[in-house]
Amino acid sequence: MHDHSALAQQIKQWGLELGFQQVGITGVELAEDEAQLRDWLAQGQHGDMDYMARHGDKRTRPDELLPGTLRVISVRMDYGTGDDESAWKNLHASERAYVARYALGRDYHKVMRARLQKLADRVEAAIGQFGHRVFVDSAPVLERALARNAGLGWIGKNTCLINKNAGSWFFLGEIYIDLPLPVDAPAQAHCGTCTRCIDICPTGAIIAPNRVDARRCISYLTIELKGSIPEEFRTAIGNRIFGCDDCQLVCPWNKFAQRFDEPDFRARNDLDQATLVDLFAWTEQEFLQRTEGSAIRRTGYEGWLRNIAIALGNATSTPEVIGALQSRREHSSEVVREHVLWALAQHA
């Protein structure tokens, strides 16, 4: 029989040694979150993200996703750059591209999965075989609710997990386990009366505290949505070509975010300062080469050109901008052509 509370302490220590900034443990009870999720889905606020509904209640019932699960180990890995000023500058420089911070470097899924697996291996080495499975965004897991319950932070009005000492620039990952370890106290909410995230959202996607309508959210529109982006949102998208960070950049708790220099998360391809014209010129081969091992792959080449066309439509009129758009007027993709023509009309 293992001493579960000693093991829980050890797991937290090993997690820190493996490069996570925080490790917490929680049970599998998510009934309240399940009701909220069902309501969000019923309202259609998940847009085209069918996978959110596809798995029934498995997302909110860890023991149905992985039978035998008693606890969830939840971890946080920071990716803050400590340089919000340069992000704001980028957002206000219309010739530049803005890429959400989490996607500037190597795909975090791979980095975190490898480390979570190492953590599970350490537990196995210490106690022998046990039932477990590692998750990083890879299955129907309600990761923010689990992280909140494990004491890693509270779910803010922008639906991001916020930690009092670290802000919200971090990734989450989980290990479902069948060991009855002692659980941590859930985090208390500290948003108070602040509504900065709601007020700044360019498309008004945060329709109520803790409720984002994905169909209006720039992260959804530029990454998850395939096909045409509704015209009503194109101007508001500005120069955000992959995701959006506004609701985090404006969050007062992020002044406590530490700069965290994980080499894997350093910006690649100068994406933190690239110009729209340069990125729009990438061939499909270049796109695939340069986004190898990057979250940006998710949008696909067509989505990449579509998003940059919108940003070019919102950019200051210059011969370079017009020239770049003209060069893709006859593109083989109907989606790309449509957004290029829209963009050219903005400059007419």
Side-chain angles (χ1 to χ4, degrees):
M1 188 62 204
H2 303 285
D3 176 348
H4 285 123
S5 84
L7 180 61
Q9 285 314 320
Q10 260 189 314
I11 287 171
K12 289 174 188 178
Q13 186 52 43
W14 291 334
L16 298 179
E17 287 167 14
L18 284 166
F20 298 117
Q21 278 65 58
Q22 196 179 355
V23 181
I25 298 167
T26 181
V28 295
E29 174 52 46
L30 292 167
E32 215 172 300
D33 299 279
E34 181 173 289
Q36 280 178 353
L37 177 63
R38 281 182 178 177
D39 182 56
W40 183 71
L41 292 168
Q43 310 273 340
Q45 288 166 356
H46 57 307
D48 286 349
M49 294 184 287
D50 304 331
Y51 59 86
M52 292 297 297
R54 199 179 302 139
H55 302 284
D57 291 325
K58 281 195 175 140
R59 194 175 292 276
T60 47
R61 300 181 188 181
D63 48 343
E64 284 185 20
L65 181 64
L66 183 66
T69 301
L70 296 175
R71 299 286 184 266
V72 176
I73 300 169
S74 177
V75 303
R76 155 187 139 225
M77 192 177 206
D78 295 357
Y79 66 91
T81 61
D83 189 10
D84 291 358
E85 206 173 317
S86 72
W88 285 122
K89 270 191 193 141
N90 230 1
L91 278 169
H92 292 125
S94 82
E95 76 287 353
R96 290 249 196 109
Y98 189 87
V99 171
R101 282 223 169 127
Y102 78 85
L104 287 171
R106 183 163 182 246
D107 189 348
Y108 68 94
H109 297 89
K110 298 179 178 166
V111 181
M112 284 196 73
R113 170 175 287 286
R115 294 194 191 181
L116 277 171
Q117 195 52 60
K118 279 186 186 158
L119 180 55
D121 294 345
R122 276 206 190 175
V123 177
E124 194 143 72
I127 67 163
Q129 279 200 327
F130 69 106
H132 67 277
R133 189 170 154 195
V134 165
F135 297 104
V136 184
D137 241 2
S138 49
V141 172
L142 209 62
E143 58 174 17
R144 281 171 285 192
L146 290 166
R148 174 202 62 212
N149 292 356
L152 270 55
W154 71 94
I155 297 174
K157 291 180 184 173
N158 59 3
T159 73
C160 292
L161 198 79
I162 304 174
N163 179 289
K164 206 160 58 179
N165 309 309
S168 63
W169 304 109
F170 52 80
F171 302 122
L172 295 171
E174 302 75 37
I175 309 176
Y176 281 19
I177 58 171
D178 65 356
L179 306 169
L181 302 181
V183 299
D184 292 296
Q188 299 300 306
H190 294 286
C191 285
T193 57
C194 176
T195 57
R196 284 189 208 185
C197 58
I198 296 174
D199 301 337
I200 200 160
C201 178
T203 53
I206 308 171
I207 52 174
N210 307 95
R211 179 64 72 117
V212 170
D213 187 338
R215 295 165 300 185
R216 305 185 68 87
C217 173
I218 292 175
S219 285
Y220 167 81
L221 294 168
T222 55
I223 303 170
E224 297 289 335
L225 184 69
K226 301 297 171 232
S228 181
I229 291 178
E231 267 189 57
E232 60 179 302
F233 302 126
R234 292 182 192 173
T235 308
I237 285 172
N239 62 346
R240 300 168 188 81
I241 64 163
F242 188 92
C244 179
D245 288 328
D246 290 35
C247 65
Q248 293 190 85
L249 286 167
V250 79
C251 177
W253 290 103
N254 271 324
K255 61 176 178 281
F256 299 111
Q258 304 294 310
R259 175 177 171 76
F260 190 73
D261 199 21
E262 167 64 53
D264 273 324
F265 298 156
R266 284 181 200 150
R268 297 159 55 162
N269 296 306
D270 291 327
L271 279 176
D272 51 347
Q273 50 195 8
T275 69
L276 294 166
V277 168
D278 285 348
L279 298 181
F280 201 54
W282 285 7
T283 62
E284 183 158 18
Q285 199 181 348
E286 273 179 286
F287 172 80
L288 292 172
Q289 223 172 332
R290 296 185 175 195
T291 59
E292 178 104 37
S294 153
I296 291 174
R297 266 287 171 94
R298 188 162 173 86
T299 177
Y301 183 60
E302 183 181 69
W304 176 250
L305 292 180
R306 171 198 68 181
N307 296 346
I308 300 172
I310 289 179
L312 286 166
N314 294 325
T316 307
S317 281
T318 64
E320 292 76 26
V321 165
I322 306 296
L325 286 166
Q326 295 284 13
S327 75
R328 300 278 189 195
R329 271 189 89 135
E330 306 298 322
H331 193 271
S332 58
S333 154
E334 192 186 329
V335 169
V336 174
R337 291 197 305 275
E338 182 215 330
H339 291 74
V340 164
L341 289 173
W342 174 86
L344 284 167
Q346 304 309 296
H347 293 286

